[in-house]
Amino acid sequence: TLFHAISAEVIPRLNEFNTQEIANLAWAYAEIGFAAPMLFHALAARAAAVLRHFSEQGLANTLWAFATAGIAAPQLFDMLAAEATARLSEFSSQKSEFTSQNMANSVWALATAGHRAPRLFHTLAGEAARRLHEFSAQGIANTAWAFATAAVPAPQLFDAMAAEAAPRLHDFNAQNLANMAWAFAKAGMPAPLLFEALAAEAPARLHQFSGQGLANTAWAFATVGHSSPALLDA
């Protein structure tokens, strides 16, 4: 196949590739779902050698690609997380070059890979809380899911996400709604106003929920002790 041939051609020539090309290759193979472990391991080695030259989007896209492809690269993840943390810290008093999608994708990737990076999560929590108005519905849901999955306490961020999400739930798809409910319950954040909004939004859309989404939503409402007859009887 074409992707197999590209992989075979790229591996011995990776020293010719710049950082954007490395990130784009990783993203493309992950996005299309083409299994190429030898290519990913070669990309990991090359990326580690030139990491300081990556853009913020390149850092986030590389994390996302390796997590999506299911490639274990703990040393690279450590380096990517440390570089992202340093970049975010440099801009603590002003807007960083990380977009809202970059931030959401980074924590989603680390949580998906099961890779602990508490410094990045804590640093990003403050930046994300200040800029939640920039986040898409999926970005908010993915960020909440990531922090809950990684078991990183971030009460101020969760409070901010609840306040931002509640009036925007019509923009959330079924999976986003289920993930929000699950994440807040898993994180031990009852967020009454958010759960009230979820209880109002979800019933008419339950036919769009997956089985897991239905189970997780029921579990979340029961876990936080939020009684919602309209939702549970729907």
Side-chain angles (χ1 to χ4, degrees), residues 100-162:
S100 58
Q101 185 174 354
N102 295 160
M103 289 189 279
N105 284 353
S106 295
V107 291
W108 177 91
L110 289 162
T112 297
H115 190 92
R116 289 185 54 78
R119 287 189 61 213
L120 175 57
F121 272 81
H122 288 304
T123 303
L124 190 144
E127 178 77 6
R130 288 191 292 272
R131 296 171 55 193
L132 275 176
H133 62 282
E134 301 174 19
F135 279 61
S136 66
Q138 184 171 344
I140 295 171
N142 285 356
T143 301
W145 179 89
F147 273 81
T149 299
V152 176
Q156 292 182 329
L157 174 60
F158 273 89
D159 286 343
M161 287 191 291

Side-chain angles (χ1 to χ4, degrees), residues 18-45:
N18 64 33
T19 55
Q20 182 173 344
E21 291 160 350
I22 294 167
N24 287 352
L25 272 168
W27 180 89
Y29 275 77
E31 175 71 13
I32 203 168
F34 190 94
M38 290 182 63
L39 173 62
F40 272 91
H41 289 306
L43 287 169

